[in-house]
Amino acid sequence: QFHTIKYEDLKWDESLGQGSFTRIFKGEKTDYRDGEKHTTEVLLKELDPDHKNCWESFFEAASFMSQISHKHLLHVYGVSVHGDKNIMVQEFVKHGALDLYLKREKSLSVSWKLNVAKQLACVLNFLEEQSIIHGNICAKNLLLVREEDPSQGISPFIKLSDPGINVAMLGKDVIMHRIPWIAPESLAAPDNLTHECDKWSFGATVWEIFNNGNPPLQGWSLEEVKLKFYENKQQLPPSQWTELADLIGQCMSYDLAFRPSCRSIIRQLNSLVTSDYEILHATESVTQ
Ligand SMILES: N#Cc1ccc(Nc2nc(N)cc(-n3cnc(CCO)c3)n2)cc1
């Protein structure tokens, strides 16, 4: 169900780090079309050889990404298998993962953050309309295609990456590391994800975006402490911007029925007026 790419048509450049059970590299792929040789800059996502038993789930994530296309969905060119190497070949996204970008760029405006949250809500709505569950929405899986350039009136542009290996295939400890992005009901049933799970994760991701990339529950290192967060039905610290805190709180409802529809999420984001909050925010930073 997706394109296979010949190993010899791939070239590895520098390593760019790793995801869970995967390593990522900048690279190039070569195509021969109408007698011409074309090289394209790509991201090579390699499954760790000692997790090759997850190869089906690894490629399943790739295939769902290539079955549908959307401007805010990462493009996957195809896969390549060579010996015990399983490689997913993705479009290379210029500015990389959003979690690192948020940590690096300390003075992103409220309207920048709201713009990115709206793009995520838009692709979430598209996935729901296509009856596709992502299962791993978080800032680390958002990729920044274009930075903003206020002088040119250019706003940021993000794409949602593949979900990686299905959370049900991962060990208990990896599932625990996904607290609080993973919906509480999914802890017990990771193989039974729903669209409501993606909405919970959306809430945690918007919280991340508005907290300069500080992961929620940062410093809550011990797993049992993180479990308490769910057992005590706790919420993430609310933003001073009450309308935003309300939306995040709705998405991160412990009762699935209370989580808003994507339409409602988009409507609420569009009604968040940045002007007054931005002025308040700016004056705060000045007066502090
Ligand atoms: N310095 C730097 C730099 C690093 C990376 C990119 N580009 C890129 N393109 C992609 N298609 C996917 C990713 N990517 C990043 N982290 C993950 C794992 C979590 O999903 C995936 N990065 C660009 C610049």
Side-chain angles (χ1 to χ4, degrees):
Q1 61 273 37
F2 39 79
H3 185 51
T4 44
I5 295 165
K6 289 205 296 292
Y7 184 77
E8 50 273 12
D9 289 341
L10 297 173
K11 174 177 161 286
W12 269 253
D13 294 330
E14 71 269 28
S15 160
L16 293 173
Q18 55 263 337
S20 34
F21 303 169
T22 59
R23 272 187 292 273
I24 56 172
F25 300 84
K26 187 162 183 190
E28 284 178 12
K29 80 175 171 81
T30 316
D31 304 275
Y32 300 91
R33 279 181 307 231
D34 35 273
E36 277 175 5
K37 176 178 170 184
H38 297 260
T39 51
T40 316
E41 204 179 42
V42 293
L43 188 287
L44 298 169
K45 189 169 186 179
E46 246 179 56
L47 178 62
D48 286 350
D50 44 353
H51 289 101
K52 59 177 182 290
N53 58 315
C54 301
W55 68 270
E56 277 155 294
S57 177
F58 179 69
F59 287 151
E60 195 184 312
S63 71
F64 113 59
M65 295 294 288
S66 40
Q67 265 158 11
I68 48 172
S69 80
H70 186 270
K71 62 180 179 174
H72 291 305
L73 267 185
L74 176 73
H75 179 64
V76 173
Y77 291 109
V79 294
S80 183
V81 180
H82 181 78
D84 65 356
K85 276 186 174 261
N86 294 294
I87 303 128
M88 190 192 308
V89 184
Q90 306 180 344
E91 77 173 279
F92 183 78
V93 175
K94 191 163 185 292
H95 301 285
L98 194 69
D99 62 328
L100 299 180
Y101 189 83
L102 290 170
K103 289 182 183 91
R104 236 185 5 249
E105 300 291 324
K106 281 300 173 199
S107 59
L108 295 167
S109 69
V110 167
S111 54
W112 186 100
K113 295 170 184 173
L114 197 53
N115 187 310
V116 163
K118 285 177 183 175
Q119 294 178 41
L120 178 55
C122 173
V123 69
L124 209 59
N125 183 54
F126 173 74
L127 290 178
E128 188 173 55
E129 285 171 353
Q130 303 289 321
S131 312
I132 287 182
I133 294 156
H134 186 275
N136 192 5
I137 310 269
C138 59
K140 183 176 171 54
N141 279 337
L142 293 177
L143 302 166
L144 189 66
V145 174
R146 183 185 70 211
E147 292 186 291
E148 77 165 354
D149 178 352
S151 65
Q152 311 283 332
I154 293 174
S155 49
F157 194 89
I158 56 148
K159 289 195 174 194
L160 177 61
S161 178
D162 66 284
I165 293 159
N166 186 304
V167 72
M169 292 288 290
L170 304 171
K172 191 86 186 128
D173 53 319
V174 178
I175 294 181
M176 298 288 277
H177 289 312
R178 294 231 179 134
I179 295 176
W181 289 272
I182 190 167
E185 69 274 8
S186 307
L187 267 192
D191 45 1
N192 179 17
L193 298 180
T194 63
H195 291 295
E196 277 61 43
C197 302
D198 281 345
K199 285 168 200 157
W200 173 285
S201 309
F202 172 82
T205 306
V206 170
W207 190 95
E208 265 187 291
I209 292 168
F210 280 84
N211 282 272
N212 298 326
N214 297 324
L217 310 188
Q218 185 172 29
W220 290 37
S221 54
L222 295 176
E223 306 310 346
E224 53 276 8
V225 172
K226 284 176 30 173
L227 257 186
K228 283 266 171 294
F229 180 81
Y230 285 167
E231 283 157 12
N232 304 340
K233 297 196 185 256
Q234 289 174 262
Q235 291 293 343
L236 293 175
S239 153
Q240 315 95 313
W241 191 0
T242 41
E243 291 84 347
L244 179 78
D246 291 349
L247 175 58
I248 293 172
Q250 289 167 42
C251 293
M252 299 182 81
S253 299
Y254 283 86
D255 180 341
L256 316 201
F258 280 49
R259 292 178 204 162
S261 68
C262 287
R263 312 291 326 145
S264 165
I265 290 174
I266 291 171
R267 213 175 18 254
Q268 292 186 60
L269 283 173
N270 287 330
S271 71
L272 285 180
V273 181
T274 54
S275 57
D276 47 356
Y277 180 77
E278 193 128 36
I279 293 162
L280 165 83
H281 194 69
T283 47
E284 259 170 19
S285 56
V286 165
T287 47
Q288 265 155 7

